Amino acid sequence: MRLVLLGAPGVGKGVQGNLLKERYNIPKISTGDILREVINNKTPEGIEAEAFLRSGKLVPDSLINNIVNKRLKNDDCENGFILDGYPRTVPQAEFLNEILSKNSETLDKVINIEIDENIIIKRLSNRRICLSCGELYNMLTDPPPEDGVCRVCGEKVIQREDDKPETIKNRIEVYKKETQPLKEFYESSGLLVEVDGNNDIRNIHKNIISLME
Ligand code: AMP
């Protein structure tokens, strides 16, 4: 099962990816989480990526393609994977096709989640994340425990720098310009399934499953 989750920032790719990961027992690979980790660890890749994330721009294709190429070679991807936040540009999608085809593999489905733009802004500004394990919270619907530590790993839950209002608008613009063309890209290869993200988490999950099975 090789899946891609597509959609604007804040549509719920991370949460749906976690549910799919549990259901199919395959890793969810979030390129945003990987980038935040390398930035935290101040690796050369992290140092290169930091300013892009801070301003809500995409990191260069070559940087993220290298990261994903390495990650997909891990043993845990043998039975498949769920990509969350990658590809985000047409050249990234072409690169992904290339590395999969080297192993005679293809994607099974690309799940595109759509929600209204005003809901995106509300969700992103209320989102909180555990920087250590990536667990997601929402201050309105699913807040972190009162002591502000993650329910999964006990580390600190924070607001992402790029979930602040100044950067959210920029990220939505970047999505429209760079990532939206991927819908057509995957539609033309017959892989795209569309899911309405204006629904509660469990219902969206059920819809995804029924579209896939
Ligand atoms: P996310 O957690 O998916 O919202 O990603 C956070 C940030 O990481 C994005 O705003 C980009 O700066 C960067 N990023 C994540 N995935 C990619 C990608 N596939 N291509 C380029 N930049 C990315």
Side-chain angles (χ1 to χ4, degrees):
M1 180 81 75
R2 294 179 210 93
L3 303 175
V4 165
L5 289 166
L6 202 62
V11 295
K13 300 189 294 295
V15 170
Q16 293 304 324
N18 286 340
L19 294 172
L20 290 167
K21 165 183 152 178
E22 276 163 33
R23 183 176 180 99
Y24 294 115
N25 202 18
I26 49 178
K28 182 197 81 162
I29 300 169
S30 155
T31 44
D33 284 350
I34 297 175
L35 288 168
R36 282 182 286 278
E37 195 184 332
V38 294
I39 289 171
N40 236 2
N41 294 337
K42 298 194 168 36
T43 68
E45 282 165 335
I47 291 165
E48 189 183 343
E50 188 167 10
F52 292 98
L53 269 84
R54 195 180 290 279
S55 62
K57 289 191 187 136
L58 296 184
V59 306
D61 288 338
S62 56
L63 174 73
I64 199 72
N65 285 344
N66 273 334
I67 288 178
V68 171
N69 193 16
K70 270 189 266 168
R71 180 64 186 85
L72 293 183
K73 287 182 178 145
N74 274 16
D75 290 347
D76 66 343
C77 294
E78 239 170 39
N79 295 322
F81 51 76
I82 303 149
L83 286 171
D84 160 14
Y86 181 92
R88 253 176 160 102
T89 64
V90 171
Q92 290 179 20
E94 287 167 343
F95 178 81
L96 178 63
N97 279 350
E98 258 171 54
I99 55 176
L100 291 176
S101 71
K102 277 188 192 147
N103 297 325
S104 311
E105 292 170 352
T106 52
L107 291 172
D108 294 295
K109 287 267 181 290
V110 174
I111 301 157
N112 181 50
I113 310 176
E114 293 268 351
I115 61 172
D116 302 336
E117 193 167 319
N118 55 342
I119 300 182
I120 294 183
I121 295 170
K122 195 169 162 197
R123 278 204 199 162
L124 288 180
S125 44
N126 284 294
R127 177 162 73 177
R128 299 293 182 273
I129 186 173
C130 169
L131 255 194
S132 177
C133 74
E135 181 73 355
L136 293 163
Y137 298 87
N138 180 294
M139 293 311 283
L140 301 179
T141 56
D142 181 23
E146 267 173 31
D147 53 3
V149 298
C150 177
R151 62 186 158 219
V152 176
C153 72
E155 292 296 323
K156 207 169 156 206
V157 174
I158 56 130
Q159 180 173 35
R160 279 169 48 173
E161 200 55 48
D162 59 348
D163 276 347
K164 301 199 170 146
E166 318 79 79
T167 322
I168 292 176
K169 281 219 162 79
N170 200 9
R171 290 165 65 209
I172 294 173
E173 288 313 309
V174 168
Y175 164 77
K176 286 183 185 161
K177 187 161 167 263
E178 309 271 359
T179 310
Q180 233 169 16
L182 283 179
K183 274 171 39 182
E184 211 173 295
F185 180 91
Y186 284 123
E187 197 158 32
S188 66
S189 43
L191 291 173
L192 195 76
V193 293
E194 302 263 10
V195 179
D196 182 1
N198 300 299
N199 210 326
D200 70 70
I201 290 172
R202 285 279 152 195
N203 279 330
I204 299 170
H205 178 62
K206 273 192 207 149
N207 289 344
I208 293 179
I209 300 303
S210 66
L211 281 167
M212 294 206 313
E213 294 175 358

